[in-house]
Amino acid sequence: MGKETGFLELDRQDRTYGPVEDRLKNYNEFVVPLAPEALKGQASRCMNCGVPHCHTGCPVNNMIPDWNHLVYEDDFRTALEVLHSTNNFPEFTGRICPAPCEAACTLNIIDEPVTIKSVECAIVDKGWQEGWITPQVPEKRTGKSVAVVGSGPAGMACAQQLARAGHSVTVFEKSDRVGGLMRYGIPDFKLEKHLINRRMVQMMAEGVEFKTSVEVGVTVSVASLKENFDAVVFAGGAEDPRPLAIPGFELPGVRYAMEFLTQQNKRNAGDDEVRAAPRGSLVATGKHVIVIGGGDTGSDCVGTSNRQGAASVTQLEIMPRPPEKEDKALSWPFWPLKLRTSSSHEEGATRDWAVLTKRVIGDNDVKGLECVRVEWQGGRMQEIPGSEFTLQADLILLAMGFVGPRKAGMLDQSGVELDPRGNVKANVFEYRTSDEKIWSCGDMRRGQSLVVWAIREGRQCARAVDEALMGASVLPR
């Protein structure tokens, strides 16, 4: 694969970012792609490693060495076909996936993995630029109909695969626009929304019907879907946020991250302030912001707060600070625990670890946050006596993850069985729930996870539904 000596001749070179002072002035994407020759050189570094662990490091099992070699040979069109054979939306993963494939790359043993994510993104972007990506309309229709609930990455992938198999597919989305978490949870500076729109147009041409502002379990009953469709797929995501059970949690200046991020994405889409902020405008301008939660959502809150002109941004994490570098002998080729600094962190933020929040200070408005330092021993957390401290705060954003799908409405109405964690119970072979007419995939089934995992589950669920309806399926698993 690639050039057998490429990894010896060329060092890793990845995409760069635009200047901080420029990108903080807007919500546009700021990643600078590699020049064509540099990209081919990076693809050539994909060595003939014998056992390409990148295959299993990637949740959709992308055939990475194959399309790296094709890029090196300047055959982008065939590379796009190979890429699309396992991934419906590589422009999404090429922008927002944390790239577990690169962690699994053989060259990562020496911290020089192939720039897999950058090559992937370049392939699909060129495909759109050249007009190679067109609707794949099925030659014949099956006469079967499927309702897909949720238009996030799992729902979109499932719907597209089922439509290409010839089924009549209708996607129900409770929000006013298609995309789920990608539309309203991920900031525009990481994923511009025209990327979702053009995939929606492609899917509509393939026969998918989108019904927005329709909440199943509220606007439309689950019973009506079961009556009017041959199969129903629940792909509604994990939307129930983990609460902060401390005194002062109820103050208006303590808000969930998704509300904050959604408001800004709606503003960017041109919505007026009332439509963007039905519970009142939520902005960080001139405020001392504390973000509780050290993951990607917390990082997105940091980047958005800085673009809104926050006076200061502090991000807290209850777990201890990870090591700067992982122990390869213990971790490779698996996803390692190590310190990760995002582009949003580089734009300005104070980060603190092993911090437990104790009380929000304030009467009607948030004034501060009382905290204490903790230490972890044997997997158990203990407060450190005398380590209490208080942070100034005007706005506290909760980005501590999600505990599972929302139960009120659709799930309660459907009566499907849940697993011990509160997710919809369905195995990864059939994706069928306790109701024989309902399937489930993505975060609603597996719990909060990555966009790339949602795409994988959507594709596999589509095959399971197709097989159940037709007795056999030619869709890839």
Side-chain angles (χ1 to χ4, degrees), residues 344-399:
S344 291
H345 294 138
E346 294 171 351
E347 292 164 1
T350 299
R351 304 168 74 186
D352 205 350
W353 288 266
V355 174
L356 176 67
T357 56
K358 299 291 287 184
R359 183 173 73 94
V360 179
I361 302 171
D363 296 321
N364 296 323
D365 298 319
V366 170
K367 300 297 182 183
L369 181 65
E370 289 185 0
C371 308
V372 64
R373 300 200 177 277
V374 297
E375 58 183 357
W376 291 82
Q377 296 180 348
R380 302 189 62 150
M381 178 184 69
Q382 291 185 335
E383 297 182 16
I384 300 175
S387 65
E388 297 83 0
F389 64 99
T390 300
L391 294 171
Q392 182 179 1
D394 305 302
L395 175 63
I396 298 174
L397 300 173
L398 309 181

Side-chain angles (χ1 to χ4, degrees), residues 233-343:
V233 176
F234 285 177
E239 296 183 309
D240 194 6
R242 180 173 283 107
L244 181 66
I246 63 173
F249 164 73
E250 71 285 350
L251 290 175
V254 182
R255 307 287 276 272
Y256 285 113
M258 281 301 116
E259 184 179 4
F260 176 67
L261 296 173
T262 295
Q263 282 194 19
Q264 187 55 56
N265 281 1
K266 282 180 173 288
R267 294 187 193 101
N268 293 345
D271 289 356
D272 61 42
E273 194 63 28
V274 174
R275 186 181 179 194
R279 289 185 56 205
S281 183
L282 179 59
V283 293
T285 308
K287 296 178 180 177
H288 297 282
V289 179
I290 295 178
V291 180
I292 302 177
D296 288 338
T297 301
S299 171
D300 293 344
C301 288
V302 170
T304 302
S305 295
N306 280 326
R307 280 163 178 75
Q308 290 182 356
S312 69
V313 182
T314 302
Q315 186 177 19
L316 304 179
E317 169 59 53
I318 196 170
M319 299 301 292
R321 180 186 174 104
E324 296 278 348
K325 179 175 170 56
E326 72 271 33
D327 185 337
K328 301 288 185 181
L330 292 176
S331 63
W332 184 87
F334 304 107
W335 184 249
L337 175 65
K338 61 185 288 188
L339 180 65
R340 290 178 170 85
T341 300
S342 72
S343 59

